[in-house]
Amino acid sequence: MMQSTGSRGLPKSEPSTWLVWALGLVFIGLGFLFLGAPGIGTLLFGLPAPEWTHIGYLFAIGLRDLAFGLYLLILSFTANRRILAWIFAATVVIPVGDVLIVFISRGLSAPAHLLLHGASAAVMAGASLWLFKQSSHDNTGGFS
């Protein structure tokens, strides 16, 4: 059995930890919004609300966001900064995909929504870079 060389989870006094927690809670909130009020969720996402028979994709978005928020909170208490940096780096795919979905569906007629998803991608990338920079002394987990 391997012995642990340090405590698990992010340091609770670090601003980057607060960012992870805040983003986790935001995504949990978005998930509940799409699950509980999918029509409002579509307004935020930038696509028109579908007919009720086609609303399943909104629940999928809600579950995606809810799960991601939970992943962030769980990992903030169990993983190190490097692992979370990789999670954020991989997650950039989601808002970039969202930009493409809105652009393909609406073109440039929804600039605020395109900017919202673009800003989300920038936040994910920035959080990833910030956590990678802070993780230079982490010795466990993730890629070196």
Side-chain angles (χ1 to χ4, degrees), residues 75-101:
L75 288 170
S76 76
F77 292 104
T78 60
N80 64 34
R81 289 176 281 220
R82 183 173 301 276
I83 291 169
L84 269 158
W86 281 110
I87 297 298
F88 275 109
T91 303
V92 170
V93 169
I94 294 172
V96 168
D98 292 346
V99 166
L100 292 172
I101 291 166

Side-chain angles (χ1 to χ4, degrees), residues 57-120:
Y57 88 92
L58 298 176
F59 296 131
I61 291 171
L63 291 172
R64 171 192 80 176
D65 288 349
L66 178 62
F68 179 63
L70 291 171
Y71 296 156
L72 290 180
L73 292 182
I74 291 166
L75 288 170
S76 76
F77 292 104
T78 60
N80 64 34
R81 289 176 281 220
R82 183 173 301 276
I83 291 169
L84 269 158
W86 281 110
I87 297 298
F88 275 109
T91 303
V92 170
V93 169
I94 294 172
V96 168
D98 292 346
V99 166
L100 292 172
I101 291 166
V102 172
F103 180 75
I104 288 167
S105 298
R106 299 194 54 201
L108 295 176
S109 69
H113 296 100
L114 293 169
L115 288 172
L116 177 67
H117 294 298
S120 180

Side-chain angles (χ1 to χ4, degrees), residues 3-49:
Q3 287 197 321
S4 176
T5 58
S7 64
R8 297 185 132 206
L10 301 180
K12 285 144 187 64
S13 62
E14 293 285 332
S16 60
T17 302
W18 304 340
L19 174 66
V20 171
W21 289 343
L23 289 172
L25 292 174
V26 164
F27 279 97
I28 289 170
L30 286 171
F32 282 126
L33 175 67
F34 274 91
L35 293 172
I40 296 170
T42 62
L43 295 174
L44 184 62
F45 191 88
L47 295 178

